[in-house]
Amino acid sequence: MKRLLGSALIATLLAGGAQAADDVTLQLKWVTQAQFAGYYVAKDKGFYEEEGLNVTILPGGPDIAPPQVMAGGGADVMVDWMPSALAAREKGLPLVNIAQPFKSSGMMLTCLKESGVATPADFKGKTLGVWFGGNEYPFLNWMNKLGLKTDGTDVTVLKQGFNVDPLLQKQAACISTMTYNEYWQVIDAGVKPEDLVTFKYEDEGVATLEDGLYVMEDKLADPAFEDKMVRFVRASMKG
């Protein structure tokens, strides 16, 4: 009996000493892909668990706006591009950047060589595919730098979906692509690299920071939340 009571007491003490993991919900900017590999690695390798975190990763998609998810309390932290976050903050959503995993932009305009586009000077008179939802600001900045109006006078802006069809179907001379995603969709569709011309936003001096981690500013006033985010960022960067 004494041995049984002793075992029960030890079990109780161990249970009491174990700290419950802190829940964190991460909202991704887009669907699950290599772009977000670090977060999944951190989860699968147990890096979050080592930091005392129970992390839920929510994939994004064409109908999901991370700032809206944050505004509705659906996530603790989100992955977003700085222009989108700045636009949301300007509208009254107090988002702040707590980490910047991506140091350079992967955004490009990819053009069919046969469209006659060889340099940015050739954009005039052409139709260009552009992502919106906060992703259009670097493009608009670029066109302003080139002195091109985007109301159809100089260039026609095609509101591009999250696919490469406008280029494949020759609805646009150029479309928005990422170095790690849509560019390769074009190649996979059978277009040869030598038949394409690419313009990297980084090279054109109009790139903005992408894939930052953002939280609501007022939440950082809570030391417990701040500590949780420090641990989350540390584990994520390790991933």
Side-chain angles (χ1 to χ4, degrees), residues 167-223:
L167 193 73
L168 300 178
Q169 298 171 5
K170 300 182 181 180
Q171 298 169 344
C174 310
I175 61 169
S176 298
T177 62
M178 302 302 291
T179 56
Y180 48 76
N181 190 347
E182 290 79 13
Y183 173 80
W184 297 104
Q185 291 180 27
V186 176
I187 299 301
D188 288 343
V191 182
K192 297 179 180 178
E194 56 266 30
D195 294 328
L196 297 171
V197 179
T198 59
F199 302 94
K200 293 183 178 180
Y201 279 57
E202 284 279 352
D203 296 340
E204 301 300 327
V206 292
T208 56
L209 291 174
E210 299 164 0
D211 281 31
L213 289 172
Y214 293 85
V215 301
M216 300 289 280
E217 185 174 15
D218 56 347
K219 283 194 171 185
L220 290 176
D222 178 3

Side-chain angles (χ1 to χ4, degrees), residues 48-59:
Y48 290 133
E49 187 177 358
E50 290 171 4
E51 292 285 357
L53 300 173
N54 175 39
V55 176
T56 299
I57 302 175
L58 303 178

Side-chain angles (χ1 to χ4, degrees), residues 12-143:
T12 301
L13 290 172
L14 288 174
Q19 292 286 335
D22 292 321
D23 292 330
V24 174
T25 299
L26 168 66
Q27 175 64 61
L28 301 181
K29 181 174 177 62
W30 192 235
V31 297
T32 302
Q33 58 183 14
Q35 176 182 0
F36 310 112
Y39 305 108
Y40 287 100
V41 169
K43 186 175 177 69
D44 291 345
K45 293 288 187 180
F47 299 156
Y48 290 133
E49 187 177 358
E50 290 171 4
E51 292 285 357
L53 300 173
N54 175 39
V55 176
T56 299
I57 302 175
L58 303 178
D63 300 320
I64 298 174
Q68 291 181 7
V69 176
M70 293 289 288
D76 299 298
V77 56
M78 72 173 184
V79 178
D80 206 357
W81 290 5
M82 185 166 285
S84 173
L86 287 173
R89 186 175 176 89
E90 187 175 6
K91 293 176 182 177
L93 189 65
L95 293 171
V96 292
N97 183 308
I98 60 169
Q100 189 58 48
F102 278 28
K103 295 181 180 180
S104 60
S105 170
M107 196 171 184
M108 306 188 295
L109 273 187
T110 295
C111 313
L112 286 172
K113 190 175 290 185
E114 67 181 58
S115 69
V117 175
T119 72
D122 300 320
F123 289 155
K124 190 169 184 177
K126 300 295 192 299
T127 296
L128 309 177
V130 181
W131 291 320
F132 280 73
N135 301 330
E136 71 273 23
Y137 299 114
F139 170 81
L140 295 174
N141 179 33
W142 188 8
M143 294 303 107

